[in-house]
């Protein structure tokens, strides 16, 4: 009898198993793979909150055999305007990392085993065991070496990805689900300069991106709206497609790519968007099994780590008697939503890869002129700054002080600035009208702005 059985030993599964074991619980971790094991395509970026946890857990120490440069700034460029800022810190971590995924998965698994987790590789869970009232009390399935197996536990955790078998077996409902919004081509390049910078661009419904990863390699790629994704071709044809997209937004960098060499085959990435009901009697979901979002904000690894931390804390409270297990799991479900829902909506809007309007570009340029808006917008992308903190009435009213009049402003932006500053004798009503007009141009984030307090 185990305290917990975790199905899936990638980022979220190994993380929750590791944390539970360190809290003194008996944990069985199963996976169909044998580690080290390659995974599906992943761009490997870990934002500061994820780096902070992995460093504290000792996982990053196991990657010392790889050269993994610190990434300290992010740049967002839309046509001729943009912003660049250093990353806000999480405690003393003010950098992102992009380690080799194979090594990261292996490091997490081995840390979990050293903490006391029992690992069964090449093991497939096929059914859940239930008691008379339907509560999940264990798993059954097959192993490559010994055939059928059956094990019982106080809680079963599904950490088995977006196509989770555990989620299927408990009929976990999807909600806020949306189809695949963007598709990307990306690969590793060698020989490029490696500034400590994530660069992303938006122009002509394309989203080029690049950053330094590990061992002298650089990730280079482009995302398109799903309907605009180019027809697959040879690697050489995809070279031309991606370099042409880069040349449209950053000719200097495109020239550097032409003069160096691709180090791997081209990979494609595209995922649906959904949240799942994350808990029920005797079971919980974490990582992509719990919430899957478009990879365009590169937040998957970070949220897998943060979600694992939330779930381990909740399950430990249930196992130790600090709370009833059903109450602890219900609290985790609420915390999971608070953690991911707003950034999920932000990612959904970002993944449409719609060209920014002249009004939006004026605001982006203003963010770049502000001493704090650019930093906080970068922090929002990097999962450091909560969307509700950035998309507030006060923040956007302050932003209008940094508009650039030198080249003229779109008429709507001039009107909004006039309303934000108010009319003589009637400041409140025009400012409220401005809030509504600004919110109307912010997609799902406009709801956050209108829910925020009026200054």
């Amino acid at each position: 009898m185990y305290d917990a059985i975790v199905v899936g030993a990638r980022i979220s599964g190994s993380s929750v198993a590791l944390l539970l074991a360190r809290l003194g619980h008996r944990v069985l971790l199963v996976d169909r793979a044998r580690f080290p094991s390659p995974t599906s395509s992943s761009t490997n970026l870990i934002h500061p909150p994820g780096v902070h946890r992995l460093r504290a857990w000792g996982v990053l120490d196991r990657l010392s055999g790889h050269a993994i440069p610190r990434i300290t700034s992010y740049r967002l460029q839309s046509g001729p305007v943009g912003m660049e800022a250093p990353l806000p810190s999480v405690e003393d971590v003010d950098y992102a990392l992009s380690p080799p995924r194979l090594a990261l998965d292996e490091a997490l698994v081995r840390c979990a085993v050293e903490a006391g987790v029992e690992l069964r590789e090449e093991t497939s869970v096929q059914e859940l065991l239930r008691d008379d009232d339907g509560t999940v009390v264990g798993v059954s399935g097959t192993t490559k070496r010994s055939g059928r197996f059956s094990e019982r536990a106080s809680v079963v955790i599904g950490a088995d990805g977006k196509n989770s078998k555990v989620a299927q077996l408990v009929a976990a409902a999807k909600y806020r689900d949306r189809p695949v919004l963007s598709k990307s081509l990306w690969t590793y390049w060698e020989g490029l300069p490696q500034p400590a910078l994530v660069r992303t661009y938006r122009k002509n419904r394309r989203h080029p991106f690049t950053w330094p990863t590990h061992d002298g390699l650089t990730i280079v790629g482009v995302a398109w709206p799903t309907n605009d994704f180019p027809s697959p071709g040879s690697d050489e044809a995809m070279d031309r497609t991606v370099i042409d997209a880069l040349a449209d937004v950053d000719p200097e960098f495109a020239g550097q790519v032409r003069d160096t060499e691709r180090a791997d085959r081209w990979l494609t990435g595209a995922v649906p968007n959904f949240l799942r009901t994350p808990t029920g009697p005797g079971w919980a979901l974490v990582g992509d099994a719990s919430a899957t979002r478009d990879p365009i904000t590169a937040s998957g690894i970070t949220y897998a780590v943060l979600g694992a931390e939330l779930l381990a804390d909740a399950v430990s409270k249930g196992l130790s008697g600090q709370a009833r297990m059903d109450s602890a799991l219900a609290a985790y479900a609420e915390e999971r939503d608070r953690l991911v829902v707003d950034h999920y909506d932000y990612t959904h809007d970002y993944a449409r890869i719609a060209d920014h309007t002249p009004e939006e570009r004026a605001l982006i340029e203003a963010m770049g002129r502000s001493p704090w808006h650019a930093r906080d917008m970068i922090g929002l992308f990097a999962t450091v700054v909560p969307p509700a903190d950035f998309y507030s009435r006060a923040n956007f009213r302050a932003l209008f002080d940094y508009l650039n009049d030198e080249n003229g402003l779109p008429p709507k932006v001039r009107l909004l600035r006039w309303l934000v500053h108010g009319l003589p004798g009637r400041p409140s009503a025009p400012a409220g009208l401005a809030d509504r007009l600004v919110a109307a141009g912010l997609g799902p984030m406009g709801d956050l702005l209108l829910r925020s307090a009026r200054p």
Side-chain angles (χ1 to χ4, degrees):
M1 177 75 175
Y2 295 91
D3 293 323
I5 296 173
V6 182
V7 182
R10 300 291 179 179
I11 302 294
S12 58
S14 288
S15 294
V16 75
L18 164 67
L19 295 175
L20 285 172
R22 287 182 176 173
L23 289 168
H25 303 296
R26 188 175 182 224
V27 183
L28 173 63
L29 177 64
V30 303
D31 199 285
R32 292 178 298 178
R34 185 170 185 82
F35 292 88
S37 169
T39 185
S40 58
S41 60
S42 167
T43 52
N44 306 354
L45 189 62
I46 311 173
H47 299 305
V51 173
H52 174 256
R53 270 68 172 187
L54 292 171
R55 190 185 71 172
W57 301 344
V59 176
L60 297 184
D61 294 340
R62 290 179 169 271
L63 303 178
S64 59
H66 296 275
I68 307 171
R70 293 183 176 186
I71 301 170
T72 55
S73 297
Y74 288 9
R75 179 188 298 167
L76 306 176
Q77 184 81 23
S78 176
V81 303
M83 70 186 86
E84 179 180 326
L87 285 164
S89 63
V90 178
E91 296 190 16
D92 62 340
V93 174
D94 58 357
Y95 56 92
L97 297 174
S98 184
R101 180 59 191 272
L102 186 73
L104 178 61
D105 285 356
E106 172 74 358
L108 265 167
V109 166
R110 299 310 160 200
C111 281
V113 170
E114 289 180 6
V117 172
E118 180 182 337
L119 173 67
R120 294 188 194 175
E121 300 167 280
E122 299 178 314
T123 298
S124 175
V125 169
Q126 297 170 341
E127 300 292 341
L128 298 178
L129 308 180
R130 300 176 187 267
D131 65 11
D132 292 341
D133 66 4
T135 299
V136 173
V137 294
V139 302
S140 65
T142 60
T143 66
K144 185 173 182 180
R145 294 185 179 182
S146 56
R148 296 289 304 177
F149 80 98
S150 179
E151 298 289 358
R152 300 174 74 84
S154 298
V155 65
V156 172
I157 296 171
D160 46 343
K162 64 181 183 291
N163 298 316
S164 168
K165 181 68 172 180
V166 174
Q168 175 191 332
L169 292 172
V170 298
K174 290 182 181 179
Y175 59 101
R176 298 173 80 104
D177 51 325
R178 289 137 184 171
V180 173
L181 297 169
S182 76
K183 299 180 75 171
S184 59
L185 283 173
W186 65 273
T187 191
Y188 297 99
W189 222 265
E190 59 184 357
L192 288 169
Q194 291 199 305
L197 179 66
V198 167
R199 288 177 281 191
T200 65
Y201 308 85
R202 178 69 56 86
K203 188 178 180 184
N204 295 330
R205 292 178 60 79
R206 292 179 293 191
H207 176 81
F209 55 88
T210 179
W211 59 80
T213 178
H214 55 88
D215 303 319
L217 300 175
T218 298
I219 281 177
V220 175
V222 179
W224 290 261
T226 303
N227 292 338
D228 296 345
F229 190 72
S231 299
S234 66
D235 277 355
E236 291 71 23
M238 288 188 276
D239 289 350
R240 292 191 294 272
T241 296
V242 170
I243 292 173
D244 287 348
L246 290 168
D248 193 33
V249 295
D250 193 336
E252 179 182 357
F253 180 68
Q256 293 171 343
V257 173
R258 285 192 186 97
D259 292 341
T260 50
E261 294 185 359
R262 175 167 44 80
D264 204 344
R265 62 187 177 88
W266 284 101
L267 301 168
T268 60
V271 299
N273 301 267
F274 59 82
L275 305 178
R276 279 194 179 108
T277 301
T279 63
W283 61 269
L285 303 176
V286 70
D288 281 348
S290 164
T292 294
R293 70 201 61 75
D294 194 286
I296 200 162
T297 53
S299 57
I301 293 176
T302 301
Y303 276 123
V305 168
L306 297 179
E309 185 177 55
L310 289 179
L311 181 55
D313 180 63
V315 169
S316 183
K317 288 178 179 176
L319 292 171
S320 63
Q322 297 179 55
R324 287 168 49 98
M325 182 62 79
D326 57 352
S327 298
L329 292 180
Y332 160 70
E334 293 178 2
E335 289 294 328
R336 193 288 310 260
D337 275 2
R338 276 193 285 271
L339 174 68
V340 305
V341 166
D342 287 347
H343 201 274
Y344 173 87
D345 287 342
Y346 165 74
T347 299
H348 164 253
D349 188 56
Y350 204 87
R352 295 185 300 112
I353 315 184
D355 288 341
H356 292 116
T357 65
E359 292 78 16
E360 289 171 324
R361 286 181 177 171
L363 294 179
I364 291 170
E365 185 176 16
M367 290 177 197
R369 293 161 62 90
S370 162
W372 73 86
H373 282 90
R375 178 204 63 204
D376 287 355
M377 184 65 192
I378 294 302
L380 166 62
F381 184 92
T383 72
V384 180
V385 175
D389 289 356
F390 185 81
Y391 287 98
S392 70
R393 296 174 192 256
N395 206 35
F396 270 74
R397 289 183 191 181
L399 180 61
F400 279 86
D401 292 335
Y402 297 96
L403 290 167
N404 182 6
D405 287 291
E406 294 179 3
N407 299 319
L409 291 170
K412 184 177 179 181
V413 172
R414 292 202 303 270
L415 172 63
L416 288 173
R417 182 171 61 179
W418 178 54
L419 291 173
V420 163
H421 289 301
L423 294 171
R426 295 182 60 195
S428 298
L433 174 60
D435 292 339
R436 292 192 295 274
L437 291 174
V438 170
L442 295 177
M445 297 296 98
D447 292 338
L448 293 180
L449 184 142
L450 294 179
R451 289 203 298 268
S452 66
R454 179 174 292 185

